[in-house]
Amino acid sequence: MEQKTSKLSIFTKGFIKENPILVLILGTCPTLAVSTQAFNGIGMGLCVTFVLLFSNIFISALKKIIPDKVRIPCYIVIIATFVTILQMLLQAYLPELNKSLGLYIPLIVVNCIILGRAEAFANKNSVVDSALDGLGMGLGYTCALTIMACIRELLGAGTIFGMTVTANVISPMSIFVLAPGGFFTFGCLIALVNKLTKGKVKDKQQNKCMGCPGAAVCSQAKEGGCE
Amino acid sequence: MKLLMIIMAAVLANNYVLVRFLGICPFLGVSKKLDSAVGMSVAVIFVMVLATIATWPIQHLLLDPNGIGYMQTTVFILVIAALVQLIEVVMKKYLPALHKSLGVYLPLITTNCAVLGVCVMNIDEGYSFLEAIVNSFGSGVGFLLAMFLFAGVRGRIEENDYPECFKGVASTLVAASILSVSFMGFSGMVDSIFGNL
């Protein structure tokens, strides 16, 4: 058994093998809501990366000080602090992005990816490893979100990053930028990833509860799921 | 009349799960069985209303007058987490029967984005205290409706034959997409009924 995983693999596993959106199915709410435009997708992805990176670093650094019993509230406070900082930075420097992401910025606090990584990785590993994990997961999230947003923007509005691509040739199917298109695109992307990575990704059964926002606080997660 | 409009909008036109994409995780996770879907939704309605009763005064009486509105996110999430814990303790002591049926879902609700979402949205929309409570209740009922409908749909999906790679979450999402189309039909309805008032 190899216990020590290389720094590189910690960083890269977030991209494909444990991609938070497409494989672990975490943080679905903002994924569906924000991925209407490629620009929003990148913006949201980078916001999550920022919070994930710093919360992982801090939680990892403080893991010896935080008592085990109250760790979840402590994590939430740390995460909420960084979300507030992010909110202020966006208001000051990128007011437009702040406006289009709106409600989903404060909701990063309850994004399962961040609490999930804190619980599953940062409270067991060193600061450097946690930072790499946070960065890798965050960028993996950004990539998946951007790809999904590009697909939806292309099909729904005929543009990518606001540049007209097919809008003049094929009339856009605006349902793709609306709610149903979000569910549909996401479903198809997950199916595609299932198809491509068949047998290679980690056994789904093992982390059935990973998709559940309460997995970190849920006592039943250890007993094999709530159903 | 405005209250009625808020409630209609929250349940149908702006359904939290299917139109605004909040609370997707429990929607996908707990909607396999009808009774657990209903249990979860009732717990969500309960917490949403109580969370609004707690957070609205905090924002308007405590944070805004002192100029610390930026603490909203941190304060709200802590209040919700504490509230859920409190409800669980109180329920365990005084309403053991209810605790037995809803207790499992309570810890899951702390990190449910729909609850935090509704609290933040009540502030953003500038609702009065009463309107805020009505909006939370309506949003909760909307959640219940979506969960209830979808639990029925999912039961059917499992029985069918579809490509291997669509097994699990993928097929669920595609089904949710179709259900969401039906909710789009409501979006014009609320405006046309109440628009001229």
Side-chain angles (χ1 to χ4, degrees):
Chain A
M1 275 278 280
E2 207 184 5
Q3 283 292 321
K4 206 96 181 120
T5 40
S6 76
K7 299 262 186 283
L8 189 69
S9 78
I10 291 173
F11 178 67
T12 53
K13 73 176 187 292
F15 284 90
I16 299 160
K17 223 171 89 194
E18 289 182 28
N19 189 295
I21 297 184
L22 299 172
V23 179
L24 302 177
I25 328 275
L26 289 173
T28 41
C29 313
T31 310
L32 288 166
V34 171
S35 62
T36 50
Q37 283 173 4
F39 183 67
N40 285 354
I42 286 200
M44 184 69 188
L46 292 179
C47 290
V48 170
T49 310
F50 170 85
V51 177
L52 195 54
L53 175 63
F54 284 101
S55 69
N56 257 8
I57 291 175
F58 269 70
I59 288 167
S60 173
L62 295 170
K63 65 178 180 284
K64 293 227 171 66
I65 305 167
I66 298 173
D68 201 41
K69 273 199 169 147
V70 291
R71 65 181 194 284
I72 301 289
C74 293
Y75 296 166
I76 292 178
V77 174
I78 293 173
I79 296 167
T81 311
F82 286 109
V83 172
T84 309
I85 294 171
L86 176 76
Q87 238 175 328
M88 288 167 145
L89 287 175
L90 282 182
Q91 270 163 15
Y93 297 108
L94 290 166
E96 261 177 43
L97 185 66
N98 185 47
K99 217 176 154 194
S100 60
L101 297 180
L103 183 65
Y104 295 94
I105 295 288
L107 287 182
I108 294 177
V109 180
V110 285
N111 194 318
C112 348
I113 299 172
I114 296 167
L115 199 59
R117 288 326 286 173
E119 178 72 9
F121 197 92
N123 74 345
K124 296 187 196 93
N125 292 285
S126 72
V127 178
V128 181
D129 284 356
S130 302
L132 283 172
D133 176 74
L135 203 60
M137 280 283 168
L139 292 176
Y141 180 82
T142 311
C143 287
L145 198 56
T146 311
I147 291 169
M148 195 170 137
C150 283
I151 295 173
R152 284 182 70 186
E153 200 187 331
L154 183 66
L155 292 175
T159 58
I160 287 184
F161 290 103
M163 287 180 294
T164 311
V165 182
T166 57
N168 301 328
V169 191
I170 313 161
S171 63
M173 297 171 273
S174 59
I175 198 163
F176 272 94
V177 290
L178 299 171
F183 283 112
F184 188 74
T185 316
F186 194 26
C188 291
L189 266 181
I190 289 172
L192 186 70
V193 170
N194 276 351
K195 183 105 184 151
L196 293 176
T197 59
K198 189 162 253 174
K200 280 182 216 149
V201 283
K202 249 166 63 178
D203 189 28
K204 278 272 172 59
Q205 214 57 30
Q206 200 186 328
N207 44 27
K208 197 168 67 180
C209 276
M210 284 294 275
C212 171
V217 272
C218 181
S219 57
Q220 303 219 334
K222 287 160 203 120
E223 293 154 22
C226 31
E227 287 179 57
Chain B
M1 212 57 195
K2 195 180 175 200
L3 294 180
L4 197 65
M5 179 177 157
I6 289 173
I7 210 164
M8 287 289 277
V11 176
L12 297 174
N14 287 328
N15 188 289
Y16 257 64
V17 179
L18 295 167
V19 181
R20 281 191 178 147
F21 300 120
L22 295 172
I24 300 285
C25 307
F27 178 66
L28 297 178
V30 200
S31 65
K32 271 188 200 131
K33 286 194 210 121
L34 201 57
D35 53 346
S36 53
V38 172
M40 175 78 186
S41 315
V42 172
V44 166
I45 298 179
F46 192 64
V47 174
M48 265 186 180
V49 173
L50 284 178
T52 306
I53 293 174
T55 51
W56 196 92
I58 288 177
Q59 176 79 24
H60 285 275
L61 302 176
L62 199 68
L63 297 184
D64 281 349
N66 294 315
I68 46 172
Y70 59 86
M71 288 293 283
Q72 192 192 46
T73 316
T74 317
V75 171
F76 278 19
I77 187 73
L78 287 178
V79 167
I80 293 168
L83 190 75
V84 172
Q85 284 295 316
L86 195 70
I87 294 170
E88 203 180 355
V89 172
V90 171
M91 215 186 239
K92 207 170 188 171
K93 183 134 172 61
Y94 296 105
L95 301 161
L98 195 63
H99 180 260
K100 220 174 162 194
S101 55
L102 295 187
V104 190
Y105 309 110
L106 284 175
L108 298 177
I109 290 176
T110 316
T111 49
N112 183 336
C113 40
V115 176
L116 182 62
V118 82
C119 294
V120 174
M121 196 173 288
N122 281 331
I123 307 297
D124 287 351
E125 296 274 322
Y127 286 143
S128 73
F129 190 47
L130 188 63
E131 284 166 358
I133 292 172
V134 169
N135 183 41
S136 326
F137 181 73
S139 306
V141 174
F143 186 77
L144 172 73
L145 184 68
M147 288 283 269
F148 189 79
L149 288 174
F150 201 57
V153 172
R154 266 186 99 162
R156 301 274 166 171
I157 302 175
E158 307 293 326
E159 294 163 9
N160 285 305
D161 191 27
Y162 45 83
E164 183 69 21
C165 59
F166 268 95
K167 284 251 154 68
V169 189
S171 64
T172 313
L173 281 165
V174 174
S177 153
I178 296 165
L179 187 61
S180 171
V181 173
S182 67
F183 269 79
M184 270 175 68
F186 290 120
S187 62
M189 199 183 82
V190 174
D191 283 339
S192 58
I193 296 178
F194 297 100
N196 51 356
L197 293 170

